[in-house]
Amino acid sequence: MKETRTIIDALDELTPETLVVWDKTYVWHPFTPMKQYMAGDPVIIRRGRGVKLEDIRGNWYYDGTSSIWLNVHGHNVPELNAAIEAQLRRVAHATMLGQANVPAVALARRLIEVAPKGLRRVFYSDSGATAVEIALKMAVQFWANQGQRTKRYVLGFLNNYHGDTLGAVGVAPDPLFHWPFLDLLPGHPRVPYPYPHDRLAESLEAVEDVLRTRRDELAAVIVEPVEGAGGILPAPPGFLRELRALCDRYDVLLIVDEVATGFGRTGRLFACEADGITPDLLCLGKGLTGGYLPLAATLTTERVFEAFLGEIEERKTFFHGHSYTGNPLGCAVALASLELLLELLPLLPAKVERLRAGLAPLADHPFVAEVRQAGFMVGIEIVADRATRTPFPYGAQVGFIVARHARRRGMLVRPIGSVLIFMPPLAATEAELDEMTAILRASFEDALPELESLAQQIRQKA
């Protein structure tokens, strides 16, 4: 049979120059200062294989951020490709509004089997932010359905990040990113996150103060087990356990946002496992499909679910949904990814230690304040003065200086402010992890002259 040439095959004939022009002319990139982007030389990816990506000029790079924290098994994985191809021969999409599809039903059952004990229901969406948005709305309506309309606020933590929809921003506003929208937000209370770890008691005391004084107004508490976009700040052992106890004591729901930490990223299937707790609502995304397709899920207990059961005229239904909710292709690849991940989990502790050993020398770099690690999540904080932890000014974008050198050496990483984020795919071999950490160490050395020059300018202005 003659092979059919597709429109995607035709894209291979486009020159790098053409693609760069089109990119700069037509595309608006997320979280990207576009003036600076259009003045630079962009990376445009053509294909991937294993833990590497190839750009349109034939350069190969290690995927040092797991394509923004979501790739688990690498790229172009035969088992995941096969799952999608098999589902394509059946149906690509069918709505979940008032009906179901086979992969979505099977995946829901499988997620409940592996999730923290006590979670029983799965509500699908298409991104981490929507998973959080759903959890927030469920928490408020959970109480409203029981006649407690005053319980409509959600307690969050300073510098946590839960997504960029307005509901998610409302519980984690950032003056740097969200300044135009702050007046639109409902004013949810927030308390300090327990980092460094000696602030655990202080953080828990602040939580209890709010719960004690505002229990009749609070629907839920929401938290990240590892503060991700805030700079990879792991909560201390026992924090989630104490938080669970406080929520139970004051009759407030607990939402745990594991969009970034779920599916092995901290070395466990879910970060909740470390403290042995079950939240009332668990938000999942990113690694759910192994980095293949947009799919997210909000898991709840039966107690939460039952509050939405009633007669039609009671209007207890959760009127929320997305066009691609429970997409069969996404659910099919998620099923395949989860099985591969369960085989991979026993190998993760040794890899985590290999990462730790490879990163250890960076702690001595003259401009590194701290190397923070939670499993495969790494944040390297860059400062102008280690002794005083004086930061570089935001406009210096020092993380991107290191990232530029890493790109030249064959690895893609992306900082958040002055914190360089390193988050390799879980399937990377120990040898590949060694190569990636070696590139990272060399890139920090390459950046040393530029960092010294910037630090000198700061000292002169002081």
Side-chain angles (χ1 to χ4, degrees):
M1 182 182 294
K2 184 178 180 181
E3 186 175 339
T4 303
R5 188 172 182 273
T6 69
I7 192 170
I8 303 303
D9 296 317
L11 296 181
D12 287 336
E13 298 175 5
L14 295 173
T15 66
E17 292 73 23
T18 296
L19 287 165
V20 168
V21 169
W22 288 3
D23 178 38
K24 292 184 177 184
T25 303
Y26 302 115
V27 182
W28 192 343
H29 291 265
F31 278 95
T32 302
M34 289 305 296
K35 179 179 180 179
Q36 290 73 20
Y37 179 88
M38 290 187 293
D41 179 22
V43 174
I44 302 178
I45 299 302
R46 189 183 296 280
R47 60 174 57 85
R49 183 174 63 243
V51 297
K52 287 190 171 184
L53 295 163
E54 184 191 24
D55 72 11
I56 53 177
R57 302 184 190 280
N59 301 307
W60 284 91
Y61 307 94
Y62 279 111
D63 189 353
T65 56
S66 294
S67 293
I68 303 303
W69 311 8
L70 51 80
N71 188 279
V72 175
H73 308 291
H75 302 276
N76 214 348
V77 181
E79 295 89 339
L80 303 188
N81 293 356
I84 293 175
E85 290 167 1
Q87 184 58 41
L88 271 174
R89 292 192 291 270
R90 291 161 171 82
V91 63
H93 184 65
T95 182
M96 288 280 286
L97 275 67
Q99 64 185 51
N101 66 73
V102 173
V105 171
L107 177 61
R109 178 177 180 273
R110 193 71 179 104
L111 286 173
I112 294 305
E113 288 176 342
V114 300
K117 188 177 180 181
L119 294 171
R120 294 295 304 275
R121 297 284 174 168
V122 177
F123 195 102
Y124 290 114
S125 56
D126 51 15
S127 73
T130 57
V132 167
E133 196 89 7
I134 286 162
L136 298 173
K137 291 178 68 175
M138 281 181 174
V140 171
Q141 190 174 339
F142 169 82
W143 297 109
N145 281 356
Q146 299 173 81
Q148 299 188 59
R149 295 290 298 273
T150 61
K151 290 174 77 71
R152 58 191 179 88
Y153 290 99
V154 176
L155 174 60
F157 289 86
L158 294 168
N159 298 319
N160 270 204
Y161 168 83
H162 299 293
D164 296 307
T165 55
L166 275 180
V169 168
V171 293
D174 186 307
L176 178 64
F177 295 135
H178 306 137
W179 61 268
F181 317 112
L182 297 180
D183 291 342
L184 303 177
L185 305 180
H188 296 292
R190 301 170 78 210
V191 295
Y193 194 73
Y195 193 90
H197 288 181
D198 59 10
R199 294 182 180 171
L200 173 60
E202 173 190 338
S203 179
L204 290 171
E205 183 178 339
V207 170
E208 187 163 16
D209 283 346
V210 177
L211 293 178
R212 185 188 302 112
T213 57
R214 300 186 63 175
R215 64 186 299 173
D216 293 335
E217 296 178 279
L218 289 175
V221 174
I222 187 169
V223 67
E224 288 184 285
V226 177
E227 197 168 78
I232 312 298
L233 305 176
F239 173 62
L240 290 182
R241 185 166 59 249
E242 295 295 330
L243 198 57
R244 172 76 276 180
L246 286 172
C247 289
D248 291 341
R249 186 180 311 158
Y250 291 96
D251 201 18
V252 170
L253 299 180
L254 176 61
I255 303 169
V256 176
D257 178 355
E258 291 223 35
V259 171
T261 57
F263 301 104
R265 196 60 65 180
T266 64
R268 298 173 181 266
L269 192 56
F270 301 107
C272 286
E273 296 173 6
D275 277 356
I277 68 110
T278 298
D280 299 289
L281 300 110
L282 179 67
C283 304
L284 302 175
K286 289 193 182 293
L288 177 54
T289 67
Y292 264 59
L293 288 169
L295 182 70
T298 305
L299 278 56
T300 77
T301 62
E302 199 71 5
R303 177 196 176 204
V304 171
F305 176 74
E306 287 177 352
F308 290 79
L309 302 180
E311 301 304 321
I312 294 294
E313 58 270 18
E314 293 180 274
R315 294 189 296 173
K316 290 186 174 182
T317 299
F318 187 55
F319 289 110
H320 185 106
H322 300 271
S323 299
Y324 280 90
T325 291
N327 172 255
L329 293 176
C331 292
V333 74
L335 279 165
S337 176
L338 185 54
E339 295 313 305
L340 289 180
L341 178 57
L342 294 175
E343 296 174 7
L344 185 59
L345 279 178
L347 305 177
L348 295 187
K351 293 183 179 184
V352 168
E353 291 309 310
R354 195 67 168 247
L355 266 180
R356 197 181 310 281
L359 294 165
L362 285 174
D364 296 324
H365 189 278
F367 294 104
V368 170
E370 190 175 23
V371 179
R372 297 186 285 268
Q373 182 181 359
F376 272 66
M377 304 177 75
V378 176
I380 305 164
E381 185 176 352
I382 307 168
V383 293
D385 187 295
R386 280 167 57 102
T388 62
R389 295 191 73 142
T390 302
F392 283 100
Y394 174 75
Q397 295 289 284
V398 290
F400 283 98
I401 293 174
V402 180
R404 186 178 71 248
H405 288 290
R407 173 184 169 183
R408 182 176 57 82
R409 286 182 173 271
M411 184 165 70
L412 299 177
V413 289
R414 183 175 172 82
I416 297 177
S418 295
V419 179
L420 190 79
I421 307 297
F422 176 52
M423 208 175 296
L426 305 187
T429 65
E430 291 189 17
E432 289 169 332
L433 293 174
D434 287 345
E435 290 184 28
M436 284 188 265
T437 53
I439 290 173
L440 208 52
R441 294 194 305 269
S443 300
F444 269 87
E445 289 303 311
D446 294 341
L448 194 55
E450 291 167 85
L451 297 178
E452 286 177 337
S453 175
L454 287 169
Q456 178 64 25
Q457 293 174 33
I458 293 172
R459 288 192 292 269
Q460 290 173 349
K461 291 179 181 179

